[in-house]
Amino acid sequence: CAVAVCDVDTQNCASKTEAMTRGQSETLVPMVQDVLKESGTEFSDIDLICTMRGPGAFTGLRIALSTARSFGLALNKPVVGLHTTDVLARQYFAGNKLESGQTLCVLIETKRKDFYFQLYDARERPLCDVGAKNAEDIIAQCDGNTVFIGDALERFKALCGEPNNYSFVGGYEHSDPCVMAGMAIDAMQDNRCLNPEPLYLRDADVSQSKQKIRPVESN
C-alpha cells in the first residue's frame, strides 16, 4: 500500500509505503490523510490523481481504483491510470541502461502457474502488450539477452534456471508512488493518459453456484 503527494513546482514528493498482504482497504485512506498532512497539502490543492490499473491482484486493484476515482469525483479532478509493468520499467531505467541487443522483461506474480509480463527495448518502449503466460512461453518470446525484474523472479528462476544470457535484478518488487506521480504528470502533458479502468488479464476466480436454486413461493 503506497501513497505519494508530488509538488510539480518544487519537485518535492512526500510518500509512505507499507508492505502488506491484506488490510489495504482500511489503510489506504488514512495513509492518504497522513501524507497530505506531512506535505502540508490540502485536498483542495490537488490537481491530478493517479492510480495503478494493473496487472495485479484483483482486490488490490479494486481498492486503488475505487479510491482514486472517488477522490477524482469528489474533487472534480482528472484521474490517470498506469500499468504496473510500465512503472517498474521506469524505475529500472531511471538508474540503469540496457546493453546493445538486451531487452527488459518485467515479471509480476500471479500466484498461479503463469506470470504477468511485458517486454521493453533499451529506449523503454514496449515490445509487446501486457500479457499472462507461463514460463516456457515467456522464454520463447525473449530473444537475445534479457534482464528480468519484478516480484516473481524467484519462482521464474526456479522454473527456467539461469541461462547465461539472462540477468535477474532484484529491488524492483514494488512500485514507487513518487515515480508514479511523475509518470502521471508526463502523461497529462503529452495527452496520452490511460483511463482509470482495471486491466484484468483473466476472469475472476468465481463461478456460479452448482446448488439448485429454490424459489420462494407465497400463496
Side-chain angles (χ1 to χ4, degrees), residues 3 26 68 72 79 128:
V3 174
E26 297 85 4
V79 181
C128 63

Side-chain angles (χ1 to χ4, degrees), residues 7 12 34 41 64 70 109 130 148 169 219:
D7 188 316
N12 291 331
D34 289 344
T41 306
S70 296
E109 187 58 75
V130 185
F148 292 89
V169 181
N219 295 325

Side-chain angles (χ1 to χ4, degrees), residues 4 14 17 25 34 39 53 58 81 87 89 97 103 115-116 125 142 152 159 169 177 189 197 199-200 204 208 214 219:
T17 301
S25 58
D34 289 344
S39 64
R53 65 187 296 264
F58 280 90
V87 176
K97 291 183 179 181
T103 56
F115 302 84
Y116 297 133
R125 296 178 301 189
C142 294
L159 291 172
V169 181
Q189 293 174 341
E197 300 291 339
L199 175 66
Y200 293 147
Q208 186 174 354
R214 301 176 62 185
N219 295 325

Side-chain angles (χ1 to χ4, degrees), residues 197-208:
E197 300 291 339
L199 175 66
Y200 293 147
L201 298 179
R202 60 158 60 86
D203 294 331
D205 293 329
V206 295
S207 60
Q208 186 174 354

Side-chain angles (χ1 to χ4, degrees), residues 56-195:
F58 280 90
T59 302
L61 292 180
R62 287 196 296 268
I63 293 168
L65 285 161
S66 61
T67 303
R69 290 164 68 174
S70 296
F71 281 138
L73 182 63
L75 299 172
N76 194 27
K77 298 297 180 180
V79 181
V80 175
L82 300 174
H83 286 158
T84 315
T85 47
D86 287 343
V87 176
L88 294 176
R90 174 65 60 87
Q91 291 173 208
Y92 176 84
F93 283 111
N96 303 276
K97 291 183 179 181
L98 294 180
E99 298 177 0
S100 177
Q102 279 189 317
T103 56
L104 177 72
C105 181
V106 179
L107 294 172
I108 298 175
E109 187 58 75
T110 65
K111 305 296 184 182
R112 296 173 181 81
K113 293 182 179 181
D114 57 1
F115 302 84
Y116 297 133
F117 85 106
Q118 192 167 22
L119 295 172
Y120 298 83
D121 65 13
R123 297 177 62 182
E124 201 178 334
R125 296 178 301 189
L127 296 174
C128 63
D129 293 332
V130 185
K133 292 186 177 182
N134 59 35
E136 292 78 7
D137 291 336
I138 294 174
I139 291 171
Q141 196 165 339
C142 294
D143 297 329
N145 297 329
T146 305
V147 176
F148 292 89
I149 64 171
D151 67 351
L153 291 186
E154 294 305 317
R155 185 164 70 89
F156 186 80
K157 286 166 63 176
L159 291 172
C160 72
E162 298 188 40
N164 293 332
N165 59 336
Y166 286 177
S167 298
F168 297 90
V169 181
Y172 300 96
E173 292 77 25
H174 303 289
S175 302
D176 185 330
C178 289
V179 172
M180 291 176 60
M183 293 177 67
I185 294 167
D186 291 344
M188 284 291 291
Q189 293 174 341
D190 297 341
N191 195 28
R192 50 180 176 79
C193 297
L194 293 173
N195 291 327

Side-chain angles (χ1 to χ4, degrees), residues 4-15 39 178 181:
V5 175
C6 180
D7 188 316
V8 178
D9 294 329
T10 65
Q11 295 301 306
N12 291 331
C13 187
S15 66
S39 64
C178 289

